[in-house]
Amino acid sequence: MKNRIIGKSGIAGKVALAVAGLLATAAPAVPGFAAPAPAAPAQSTLFKPAQVFDGVDPTPHAGWQVLVTGDKIVAVGPSLSVPAGTKVVDLPGQTLLPGLIEGHGHMFLYAYNEKSWDDQVLHESVALRTVKAVAHAHDTLMAGFTAERDLGTEGAGFADVGLRDAIDQGVVPGPRMMVATKAIVAEGAYGPKGYEPGLKIPQGAQEVSGVDDIVRAVRDQIAGGADVIKLYADYHYQGGSSSRPTLSQAELTAAVAAAHDAGRITASHATTEIGIGRAIAAGIDTIEHGTDASAAELKMMHDKGIGLCPTLAASDASSHYRGWNGQEPAPKAVEAARKLLRAAIAAGVPICMGGDVGVYNHGTNLREMVLMQGAGMAPAQVLIAATSGNARILHWNDKIGSLKPGLYADLVATPGDPTKDVSALRTISLVVKGGEIVKGQ
């Protein structure tokens, strides 16, 4: 019957074919990196700052320039030869560096002191949350963050896939996005909480119970467009209670294996020693938060190349919401995050720069970098973590994260010297994404 109706109306058939063709050509080969546009004469642009921080060398290069043709970097160094007709962008007194990469964000959340997590998840429609996420993406890009790993929509389903694709297709401005869609939690171990027992309340993540169930969820999320699979190795079963291990070793191992088989990386919320240990044993790619990681676990993370996102800004923001005025001594959660970062650096663990933005406002992503510096990390090392470090951890290092020929031309400039103090990045004078100037000259 359906075929007869469509066949009877030539318009319907043509529309269906047109839509199918559009979807086939619009989808990028790699999420966050749109398919090439039809061939056209490529514009070359020469960026001439006072110095270049290339994302790898902690020492900035005075007098260096960056030549971009189309969407790629073609040359970096002093006194570059340029093609005829090259546009020159002078940046006197400024530092040019790779576009910053947010390693742990939630575009579909916003500051909890404006509206609680429960209220955002339960009382705002997915349509409203998506429109807000579009604004958050714009703010993120304008702050100099040209890429983001988004670790869960917190109840908004697969809406992050649509946002990622809209950005890739040039419909709305925003960073390149790696998305986790729904994330995965043990049944009964997430929220919202506090309702009549047995009453089915919409959850902020996909609930599973058992190995078969978690593998099914991983595949469901990948089929829906997930680039990264986020798992909760531990959480609290009741509001106000302490975190406990939730997903079993068998569940975590099966989930990571299924994700890796499909070419996806994995991330685990893990704060307890047992949860962290299970995630490491499962072969996870990154540990998020990692509060109670032992020295032995940090060594294993170093040995296996597992990244740590310590998310100092999340505990900092939450403590401020509870009344902390920023004076020392800091609350226990804030000091624990600082202590973990210092221990992880000493152990040689790859450090992911990701603050759990969404707990606090998008566009203020720099907050995590300032706190990392304040906890004792050298400014240049913080910059490396936010550029080539995150690119390597997220398997984007063949595309972005440093300034070298062949990579995408994602660039930012600041009038200050962030290698001496990362807070210089509070002022972003220029943002370039894929060779296009989206902010500044």
Side-chain angles (χ1 to χ4, degrees):
M1 179 63 72
K2 182 185 291 185
N3 289 338
R4 286 179 58 198
I5 292 172
I6 292 175
K8 188 175 180 180
S9 171
I11 294 175
K14 291 176 182 177
V15 169
L17 288 172
V19 170
L22 176 62
L23 291 175
T25 57
V30 178
F33 299 88
Q43 169 68 48
S44 292
T45 304
L46 180 68
F47 296 91
K48 298 177 64 177
Q51 63 178 13
V52 166
F53 173 80
D54 64 11
V56 178
D57 189 339
T59 303
H61 304 280
W64 274 27
Q65 305 167 351
V66 176
L67 179 63
V68 171
T69 299
D71 60 359
K72 300 286 183 66
I73 298 169
V74 296
V76 181
S79 304
L80 298 178
S81 298
V82 300
T86 295
K87 176 182 177 181
V88 176
V89 176
D90 285 309
L91 300 165
Q94 300 196 43
T95 301
L96 186 69
L97 61 156
L100 303 170
I101 303 171
E102 171 60 63
H104 185 136
H106 297 277
M107 285 290 190
F108 288 78
L109 293 174
Y110 55 94
Y112 294 177
N113 63 333
E114 296 180 21
K115 184 175 283 190
S116 72
W117 182 89
D118 279 24
D119 280 346
Q120 292 183 48
V121 172
L122 288 178
H123 298 146
E124 292 189 347
S125 68
V126 172
L128 174 60
R129 294 183 68 191
T130 301
V131 172
K132 289 184 177 182
V134 169
H136 299 158
H138 170 270
D139 292 345
T140 300
L141 183 61
M142 292 302 102
F145 288 79
T146 55
E148 175 168 325
R149 180 178 62 159
D150 200 73
L151 286 179
T153 61
E154 306 291 334
F158 292 100
D160 54 352
V161 174
L163 176 61
R164 178 199 67 198
D165 293 351
I167 292 170
D168 283 352
Q169 295 171 30
V171 178
V172 296
R176 305 179 189 278
M177 289 185 64
M178 175 183 289
V179 301
T181 71
K182 296 184 282 187
I184 296 173
V185 296
E187 186 173 0
Y190 206 55
K193 300 182 184 295
Y195 296 86
E196 174 67 22
L199 185 64
K200 198 64 178 175
I201 301 297
Q203 294 291 287
Q206 185 170 353
E207 293 185 295
V208 298
S209 187
V211 169
D212 289 345
D213 205 18
I214 198 168
V215 170
R216 187 178 299 110
V218 168
R219 292 172 178 162
D220 168 65
Q221 293 186 14
I222 292 171
D227 310 310
V228 54
I229 297 300
K230 184 184 181 183
L231 306 156
Y232 280 73
D234 48 36
Y235 210 69
H236 44 266
Y237 281 96
Q238 297 294 331
S241 63
S242 59
S243 288
R244 305 286 298 179
T246 50
L247 295 175
S248 69
Q249 185 66 70
E251 289 170 329
L252 282 167
T253 299
V256 171
H260 285 172
D261 284 349
R264 271 39 175 205
I265 65 171
T266 56
S268 179
H269 170 111
T271 62
T272 66
E273 190 171 349
I274 294 174
I276 295 164
R278 288 179 182 177
I280 292 170
I284 207 75
D285 294 288
T286 63
I287 296 290
E288 312 303 310
H289 316 300
T291 313
D292 292 337
S294 67
E297 287 171 336
L298 292 175
K299 183 180 186 305
M300 284 190 287
M301 290 176 68
H302 164 266
D303 294 347
K304 296 184 176 185
I306 298 171
L308 171 69
C309 264
T311 62
L312 284 77
S315 55
D316 179 79
S318 297
S319 296
H320 277 87
Y321 300 158
R322 297 187 186 107
W324 180 45
N325 63 4
Q327 299 297 309
E328 301 295 334
K332 182 179 178 181
V334 171
E335 189 50 47
R338 296 171 179 170
K339 181 179 178 181
L340 172 66
L341 175 61
R342 290 191 287 265
I345 292 170
V349 175
I351 302 299
C352 163
M353 197 300 295
D356 213 350
V357 60
V359 175
Y360 52 99
N361 284 326
H362 299 273
T364 66
N365 308 63
L366 183 65
R367 183 177 191 158
E368 178 75 3
M369 297 174 68
V370 171
L371 291 169
M372 291 168 77
Q373 178 179 296
M377 196 170 185
Q381 294 304 319
V382 176
L383 293 176
I384 289 172
T387 54
S388 65
N390 269 359
R392 184 174 58 255
I393 288 169
L394 304 183
H395 299 189
W396 269 346
N397 53 311
D398 62 339
K399 297 176 177 65
I400 58 173
S402 57
L403 301 184
K404 64 181 181 179
L407 299 193
Y408 284 92
D410 291 1
L411 318 168
V412 297
T414 174
D417 184 354
T419 66
K420 294 180 179 177
D421 184 350
V422 297
S423 64
L425 292 168
R426 295 189 194 281
T427 302
I428 297 292
S429 59
L430 178 80
V431 179
V432 180
K433 181 187 170 192
E436 179 186 356
I437 297 175
V438 296
K439 178 181 180 179
Q441 303 183 41

